[in-house]
Structure formats: C-alpha cells, structure tokens
Amino acid sequence: MRLVFAGTPETALPSLRALLDSPRHEVVAVVTRPDAQSGRGRKVHPSPVAELAEESGIEVLRPVKAGDPAFLDRLRALEPDCCAVVAYGALLPQAALDIPRHGWVNLHFSILPAWRGAAPVQHAVLHGDEITGATTFRIVKELDAGPVFGVVTEEVRPGDTSGALLERLSVSGAGLLAATLDGIEDGKLEARPQPSEGVSLAPKISVEDARVDWSAPAMRIDRLIRACTPGPGAWAEFRGQRVKLGPVRVAAGEERLAPGELAAGKHRVLAGTATDPVELGEVQPQGKRLMSAVEWARGVRPEARECLR
C-alpha cells in the first residue's frame, strides 16, 4: 500500500523503520510536528521522525495545523491508501481523516479502552498496572475511541520507568502496526468496536503533577517517580530550591521518618513518607548536574529533621 506516516518523537522510529523495510508497503511521505527548540542551547531541530525521513529521501510535511488547506491538498495529491500514526502529537480534523481510503491507523501504547489520552504509559506505571500493551485502531473523531485491529501485551516490571516501558512497547508495537497494515491490505483484518466498559483516561502529566507529596505512602511515591522518569521528571524542594529525583527504593522495615525527613548516612540517603522510608537514587539540584543522593547529601549536609518538601 501507499502509506503516509505521521509521527514525531523517537518513540515512533521503530514503526517508521519497520514500514520503510517492509516489501509490501511504500512510505511516500511523513507528517511530523514543525521543527522546535530542544537541548541546552535551545537551538531549532527537526523532529526525530523528520530526520529519519530526510535520511531516507522521503518527503516531509510539517503543517502547523493538520487542517491547513495547503497540507490537505498535498495529502490528497499523494493519494495514500492508508495513513499510519505513532505519537504524532496533534489533532487530525475530519477533512484529513477522510482522505485515505483505509483511513488513519493509530498505534496507541495501552490496551484500549484503558488509558485513552496523551500519557498512557505514565498512567500504567503510576497506577501500578501489572500488564499493559499496545493497540492498533482506526482513528475517529472521539479521542482514542475507534475500532480496534490488534493488540500486543507487555508485562510492567517492578522497577520499570515510563521511559523503559515505552521503549519496549515501541518495538513490539512496531511489529503490530506492520502486521495490521499487512492484514488491511490483504482484506483479512476487520476492526472491532472497543468495549464500552473499562474506559480510563490518561491526560498529560504536568510538571506540577510530578511534585512528590511526602505524606503519601512509599509505594505511591515510588510509582510517581518512575512514571515521571524521564519526563516531566519528579521533583521536590530543599531549602527553597528544586531538586529533581530519580527512581527510589522502598526501604521496607526501616525505622519510620516524618514525611520528607532526610536521614543521610555514609552509603545511602533515606526520606520519610506516610509509611516506610524510601532510599533516594540519583538527584539533580537546580542548575547542577545529576549525582547520587549520597554525593548530594555530602554537599548540602542536611540538619537533623530537615525535610524535602
């Protein structure tokens, strides 16, 4: 089939590579978000998907909005049989959805109808799901509610960050997307409506959402920090300065500390919660490099009963 691929971040690269390597399909163009500032120097860079497409000699479309008339005209001229979508990052108007004869097929990183929305993997980790997965479905106007073509499942491991889990799902999901498009071309794959029960929403997790509440149980804090790693990054305040926090370990059975209270030793740093303390991993003080919690504590020398807030 003639395909147009829509995607933006690194998460989409395994799927784009799988389709570029497929002998059954031709990727005639890529749709991605406009070039944006990134990195410490805040220089303007193309998206990872745009870079791979350009390296592969494929046309790159960067509409500010997917409803722009010039973009819609170009999409019609390309005459795609189907448009594949992985983490594109913008809404698609009905005028765009109507162009390919097989519609737009999205790879979503949850087992729908669970975790519809922008941050399904983060919410799976945050809520302690033991199993998650990826789903291919036909895009409709309602958010992530279209009929489903296929599903793959993935175990959520005890120490998974959202970044580690998403990396595995992006690979297994790429195989699912390629198989889905093969089945559509063969005429043997039928999309089935999502069940009406079990719907849950996964809105974007903001920087404010990522602030650690030390009055929460240790398990909740562990999940929040892993869900926010690598982005947006969990954090707390110490002496009025923001400190970014990497994954922690629940120190079960240790003597209780007040919420946020620090106990710095030679080889570890504990912080109090509503239940067991947690052992801090890596931290990044505001304006400084990433370091171990022990190294950080050696520098700041927490006083008795001093707390993260």
Side-chain angles (χ1 to χ4, degrees):
M1 289 193 296
R2 286 175 61 84
L3 302 177
V4 168
F5 182 89
T8 298
E10 289 188 13
T11 304
L13 296 183
S15 290
L16 178 54
R17 289 192 182 102
L19 298 180
L20 290 172
D21 292 342
S22 171
R24 300 189 55 175
H25 308 294
E26 178 189 6
V27 180
V28 296
V30 154
V31 183
T32 191
R33 301 293 292 144
D35 297 354
Q37 291 181 334
S38 64
R40 298 188 69 176
R42 306 305 295 165
K43 293 182 179 179
V44 175
H45 295 281
S47 73
V49 163
E51 289 182 334
L52 177 56
E54 289 169 347
E55 290 170 8
S56 304
I58 296 169
E59 180 179 355
V60 178
L61 306 176
R62 298 176 173 88
V64 175
K65 293 184 178 180
D68 290 348
F71 166 69
L72 295 175
D73 288 344
R74 181 57 189 148
L75 190 60
R76 291 187 192 98
L78 288 167
E79 298 183 336
D81 297 308
C82 188
C83 294
V85 187
V86 184
Y88 170 47
L91 295 176
L92 296 164
Q94 194 62 47
L97 297 180
D98 291 339
I99 291 173
R101 62 190 180 97
H102 290 298
W104 294 66
V105 176
N106 190 34
L107 174 65
H108 183 78
F109 296 111
S110 78
I111 301 173
L112 291 171
W115 303 132
R116 293 176 178 174
V121 177
Q122 289 172 315
H123 281 271
V125 174
L126 179 62
H127 290 83
D129 291 0
E130 295 181 354
I131 298 291
T132 188
T135 303
T136 48
F137 69 96
R138 182 179 289 117
I139 294 179
V140 297
K141 189 173 182 179
E142 187 180 352
L143 177 67
D144 297 335
V148 168
F149 289 105
V151 171
V152 291
T153 59
E154 179 72 38
E155 178 186 3
V156 183
R157 299 169 187 170
D160 265 338
T161 63
S162 62
L165 179 56
L166 182 57
E167 185 174 354
R168 297 201 305 277
L169 286 170
S170 70
V171 174
S172 59
L176 172 64
L177 180 60
T180 296
L181 295 171
D182 290 349
I184 290 172
E185 184 181 40
D186 291 339
K188 297 178 179 179
L189 191 59
E190 181 180 343
R192 299 185 178 276
Q194 294 183 32
S196 57
E197 297 180 352
V199 175
S200 53
L201 301 180
K204 182 179 178 180
I205 294 178
S206 70
V207 171
E208 194 55 42
D209 294 332
R211 184 173 189 169
V212 175
D213 175 6
W214 297 102
S215 66
M219 183 178 292
R220 170 74 179 178
I221 290 172
D222 166 49
R223 289 174 179 171
L224 172 71
I225 294 174
R226 289 189 290 111
C228 295
T229 302
W235 61 281
E237 282 190 353
F238 182 74
R239 297 174 184 168
Q241 295 288 311
R242 186 173 296 193
V243 179
K244 210 172 211 180
L245 302 170
V248 299
R249 183 184 69 84
V250 178
E254 293 285 344
E255 183 178 347
R256 297 287 182 94
L257 297 168
E261 181 182 351
L262 292 167
K266 189 174 182 180
H267 300 293
R268 66 177 185 174
V269 179
L270 300 179
T273 75
T275 55
D276 294 309
V278 295
E279 181 180 339
L280 301 183
E282 291 184 315
V283 304
Q284 186 173 13
Q286 191 170 329
K288 297 185 179 180
R289 62 177 176 82
L290 193 68
M291 63 186 72
S292 72
V294 171
E295 184 182 359
W296 170 72
R298 266 200 309 266
V300 298
R301 298 178 180 272
E303 297 175 2
R305 300 186 184 279
E306 198 166 10
C307 296
L308 289 167
R309 303 189 184 280

